[in-house]
Structure formats: structure tokens, C-alpha cells
Amino acid sequence: MAKQASGSTNRPKKTFMAEISSSSGIAIYPGTFDPITNGHVDIITRSLRIFEQVIVAIAINQNKTPLFSLEERIGLIQQCFAANNRVKVGTVSGLIVDYALKQNACAIVRGLRAVSDFDYELQLALMNRKLERRVETVFLMTGFRWIYISSSIIKDAARYGGDVSGMVPAHVVTALRQKFNR
Ligand code: COA
């Protein structure tokens, strides 16, 4: 039998391994999605290589005044993944980590576009970890083609008649034209 160092007890040592639990295979991808862009679609599609199911969670953000209603945003996302039953759409009005636990998710997926995203994302990930250690944050680098895109910049271009096809799915182009009577 291995000799015990003096003063030690028989209690098993707490190791990092003890904290590892199995993956549920479910991830949450939160955001405002006003509207969903090809950059978001890219992150969701690539997340499906890692996770069995991705729940796109539309967060009710008090600091934003969305152009599209909640129902419209849900519909626009569902249309993107109509043929894929591994993508679900939900809404969240409280903490993302609470929602994640309720959905049995083991991770929150976030996309990083540029260095400028990093500070906020680090803060968010650390706060979420502080609030709930059972949910990990997983970062994916946004596809190079979508690095300059945001929902706001798309809306700005579309508002003044700019062509945003190729930056958002075709049905979103149509929805934007309808919103801005273009
Ligand atoms: N491609 C293109 N655009 C992207 C993108 C990508 N891969 N990833 C992000 N963006 C854009 C979005 O379109 C959005 O553009 P906008 O600001 O013009 O609308 C912008 O980047 C910000 O992205 P998003 O990730 O959607 O952030 P958000 O601020 O709308 O949402 C939440 C952030 C929902 C994750 C955060 O507010 C949250 O967790 N809220 C719930 C409360 C909570 O739990 N808070 C944390 C602990 S206090």
C-alpha cells in the first residue's frame, strides 16, 4: 500500500477530473438575431459538427429596439433550418445560464468576429461561469467572409436600398425589403 504523507487523511483528493461531467450534446446559441445573418448561420452550422443539437435562443435585450418582432425573428431563423431537426429556436428573457440548464445544455456557443469582440465576450463568459459552472462557453471564430457583418449594419444598408443579398439568407433579404418598402 502506498505510504501516506504525514498529516494526510484517507479522504480522496479533489482533482479537476472530479468536476468533469459528461456532455449532454446540447448547446445554446444566444443573441438578438434582428435579423439572422449568414454569419449566424455559419456559426450554427459549424456548431452542429460539435454538438448534437443547437438551440438558437433569441434573447429579449432591454437595450435594443428590434426591427423585427419576436415572432418574425423566430420565423426567419426557422426558415433557415427547416430541413434540420437538430436546430431548435427558443426565446429567453432571463439569464442565459438558467435557460441553458433548463434545456439540459452543456454549453453556450459564441462567435468571435474581431479582436474588438473579445473584451465583451470574455466578460460575458466569466460572468456566466461565475453564475453557473456547469455550463461552458465555446467560442468559434466567425467565418472570414462574415467578419464585417452585424445585424445593425445589414439593416442600415437595407434601409437605404443597399443590396444585402449574399450577407443574409434570401428570405431575410425579402423580409428586409418589405420592412423598408423597397
Ligand atoms: N456573424 C454576424 N454578426 C454577428 C455574429 C456573426 N457570427 N455574431 C454576432 N454578430 C452581431 C449580431 O448581429 C449583433 O449585431 P447588432 O448589435 O447590430 O444587433 C452583434 O454582433 C452582437 O451580437 P449578439 O451576439 O447577438 O449580442 P447581443 O448583444 O444581441 O446578445 C446576449 C448578447 C443575448 C448573449 C447577452 O445579452 C445575454 O446573455 N443576455 C441575457 C442575460 C444574461 O444572461 N446575461 C449574462 C450575464 S449578466
Side-chain angles (χ1 to χ4, degrees), residues 31-32 37 39-40 59 64 95-96 110 113 124 142 149 151-152:
T32 305
T37 69
H40 295 129
K64 288 187 175 179
L95 289 176
I96 294 293
R110 297 291 291 163
R113 284 165 302 169
L124 194 62
T142 293
I149 287 177
S151 298
S152 299

Side-chain angles (χ1 to χ4, degrees), residues 10-52:
N10 285 331
R11 200 181 322 122
K13 263 194 192 156
K14 196 178 176 203
T15 66
F16 283 115
M17 292 303 288
E19 291 179 14
I20 296 173
S21 54
S22 58
S23 160
S24 69
I26 304 171
I28 303 290
Y29 181 46
T32 305
F33 305 105
D34 184 45
I36 186 164
T37 69
N38 283 347
H40 295 129
V41 172
D42 173 59
I43 295 287
I44 297 164
T45 308
R46 286 163 53 213
S47 299
L48 290 171
R49 291 188 186 147
I50 307 170
F51 299 100
E52 209 31 58

Side-chain angles (χ1 to χ4, degrees), residues 75-87 89 171:
L76 293 175
I77 299 169
Q78 280 174 337
Q79 266 185 270
C80 297
F81 298 98
N84 194 332
N85 62 11
R86 290 169 60 204
V87 179
V89 186
H171 64 277

